[in-house]
Structures are given as structure tokens and as C-alpha cells.
Amino acid sequence: DYSKKEPGPPESWLYDIVRGSILFDNVDQILGFLELIRTDESIEIVKSKNRFRNPTLSGYRDWNLQLQISTTTEEDGSSIIKHICELQLHLQVFKEADEKLGSHSHYEFFREYYAGATDSLKERMDDLRVICESGSLNTAFLGNVIRNPLKRDRMLRLADLFENQVNDYQLAIMITYATRESLEPGRLYTRIGNIFRKQGKREKAPIMLKKALEIDLEALGADHVDVAMSYNNMANALDDVGNLEDALTMHQREFGARTFVH
């Protein structure tokens, strides 16, 4: 939370409003560029992060710099403005592999997966180890989880893992459905409906999402942000099956709900 950072003002801690990237063919070029930056008196290196040595969660490697640039606004140099920006130094071959494999999306997922209380990190690591024991899915463990569900939040993390990383949508649905006793019905139908969309089962998705919308409308009323999201989900599902007229109606109702909320 930058608002609590000292010294202020809070916006002074935002280093990546301006961000640039440079591609290099080899490590020697990167080292040469770093030396140029180091000897430039108009540039101060605020922070330097060597992610070739300590890569991100996805394994991606680059060099990340926060640089303070000094510029003058008057001809006599009497007024100086300083600004901090971010500069990323990439190896061309790594960048190409990153784009081909989509490693940044994996990084984003696992950054969120591991976010939270420290006491739950071991639990999350254990889940990953167990479901991929010996390099393959542990079907016995997963079968037991579906028959005897774990805590709800843990089950939903597992469902997200299979939906977004493993792309095993059927397992994601089975794990999600196993939480039906503890998960709110509207949320349950929403999750399953959106998984159906990813799975390509376009005829099934609107059925689930319509149930979610009806439940949300009854519980929350038409003018609620969660209902607006349900309208959006329903509109997207109708668009998938080519029902553009009804999809437009759902978007209009979504807009009405969001307008009322704000």
C-alpha cells in the first residue's frame, strides 16, 4: 500500500508509470549498456534487480532497473526535474521463448496463487506436490478430494489451478461442484458456467450463468455490482452462441446496474 510509504508523497513510490524495454543479442551487450548507465551523470540507478541470477516464479530472466532521470526546464539549467522510470533489459532469445510459451501468464497466476497468509504457503506447496507426484497427476488423491472435500478456499484454489494452468476443465468442474455444500449457489453456477465457456461447451454455459443471474437478482436486487457482473457473464455466453440481440440486452442491463452503483 503506497499510501503508507514514508517519506511521502505516496505517488513518489510509483516507479513504473514510465517503462521501457531494450532487447540485446548477448550478455556482453547488457553489461556494456549497464556500464554506460553507471557512468552517465544525468542518471541515478535507484534500484537494480538481476533476475538472470534470481529469476521470477515462471523462470523468466531479465535485468530490471529503476532509474532517476534529471532534466532541465530552463535554458540556464536553473530548474531541474527528476523522474523515476523503469527499464527492462531482455535477452532476445529469452523474450522470444517467453512470448511463445506464455510464461508471463503463468507468473501472474502463481503470484496470486502464493499470495496470502504465510501459514497457508506450505499448504499450497503441498497441494502442488501431491497432485503432481512423480511427475504425473495423483488420481487417487484427487478422487479422495472430490469425495471428501477439503476447506472451501483450498478446493477453489485447486479448481483454479486445473482450470487456468492444467486446462483440465472437467477436473476443475468436479472439484468446484464438490464445494456445493459450502459455496454460495450463485457463485457455484457462475464458476461452472465460465468453465463451460472455456471448455467450448457453449450451449451449457448460458444455462449455468442464467441460474447464477436469477439467484443474484433475487438476493441482491437489480442495482448491485455483483449483478452487473452476472449480466456481463450472461452477455458473453449469449454472444458465444450467436444470440447477439439478447447479449446486447444483457449488456444494457449491466450498464444500468453499474451506472446506478456509481
Side-chain angles (χ1 to χ4, degrees):
D1 186 349
Y2 291 116
S3 66
K4 299 177 182 178
K5 285 267 194 179
E6 294 291 342
E11 60 269 18
S12 67
W13 290 91
L14 298 174
Y15 293 167
D16 58 353
I17 293 177
V18 177
R19 176 188 292 168
S21 298
I22 304 177
L23 295 175
F24 297 88
D25 291 327
N26 54 61
V27 173
D28 288 338
Q29 289 181 351
I30 292 179
L31 294 176
F33 178 80
L34 287 169
E35 181 61 20
L36 287 174
I37 292 290
R38 190 185 67 80
T39 56
D40 190 323
E41 294 183 356
S42 68
I43 299 175
E44 178 184 345
I45 299 176
V46 176
K47 187 176 181 180
S48 178
K49 189 183 296 183
N50 182 356
R51 296 195 296 208
F52 290 104
R53 178 178 293 171
N54 300 300
T56 65
L57 280 172
S58 67
Y60 186 70
R61 292 164 167 80
D62 64 359
W63 202 304
N64 187 285
L65 298 170
Q66 267 93 48
L67 306 175
Q68 180 174 271
I69 310 296
S70 300
T71 60
T72 58
T73 59
E74 303 294 338
E75 290 185 5
D76 62 1
S78 60
S79 179
I80 299 177
I81 293 178
K82 295 182 178 181
H83 183 75
I84 296 177
C85 57
E86 182 176 290
L87 185 61
Q88 298 172 336
L89 313 181
H90 304 283
L91 275 177
Q92 179 76 40
V93 290
F94 285 4
K95 192 65 177 175
E96 290 174 355
D98 172 55
E99 293 173 354
K100 182 178 180 180
L101 299 173
S103 64
H104 188 73
S105 64
H106 298 305
Y107 164 75
E108 292 287 348
F109 175 84
F110 282 106
R111 182 172 65 176
E112 183 176 342
Y113 180 83
Y114 287 118
T118 304
D119 57 2
S120 70
L121 293 180
K122 182 179 183 302
E123 181 181 272
R124 300 178 193 205
M125 285 295 294
D126 289 342
D127 287 342
L128 290 178
R129 291 192 189 98
V130 171
I131 64 175
C132 295
E133 193 173 26
S134 302
S136 59
L137 289 178
N138 187 330
T139 54
F141 168 77
L142 293 170
N144 185 59
V145 162
I146 291 168
R147 291 189 299 272
N148 304 289
L150 306 169
K151 291 184 299 183
R152 186 187 70 173
D153 289 348
R154 192 174 178 185
M155 292 289 285
L156 294 179
R157 282 201 304 269
L158 286 173
D160 287 341
L161 186 66
F162 282 102
E163 176 187 351
N164 298 306
Q165 297 300 309
V166 184
N167 295 335
D168 191 326
Y169 301 118
Q170 193 57 40
L171 257 177
I173 289 172
M174 292 171 69
I175 294 171
T176 301
Y177 189 69
T179 67
R180 62 190 179 279
E181 299 297 329
S182 60
L183 192 63
E184 300 86 349
R187 191 177 173 194
L188 176 70
Y189 289 128
T190 295
R191 290 180 68 95
I192 293 178
N194 285 329
I195 295 173
F196 276 147
R197 286 191 65 218
K198 286 187 177 181
Q199 195 176 16
K201 294 185 176 180
R202 297 181 175 181
E203 300 298 330
K204 289 187 175 182
I207 298 172
M208 294 290 106
L209 295 172
K210 182 180 179 182
K211 289 182 179 180
L213 175 58
E214 290 171 347
I215 290 170
D216 287 345
L217 278 170
E218 183 176 351
L220 304 170
D223 301 316
H224 192 280
V225 65
D226 290 344
V227 173
M229 183 57 66
S230 290
Y231 279 132
N232 179 267
N233 290 332
M234 191 66 196
N236 291 332
L238 290 169
D239 183 55
D240 288 342
V241 296
N243 190 344
L244 302 184
E245 184 175 346
D246 286 346
L248 177 60
T249 299
M250 291 295 110
H251 277 309
Q252 289 170 337
R253 292 177 181 174
E254 174 198 359
F255 178 75
R258 292 189 187 279
T259 301
F260 183 87
V261 170
H262 293 291

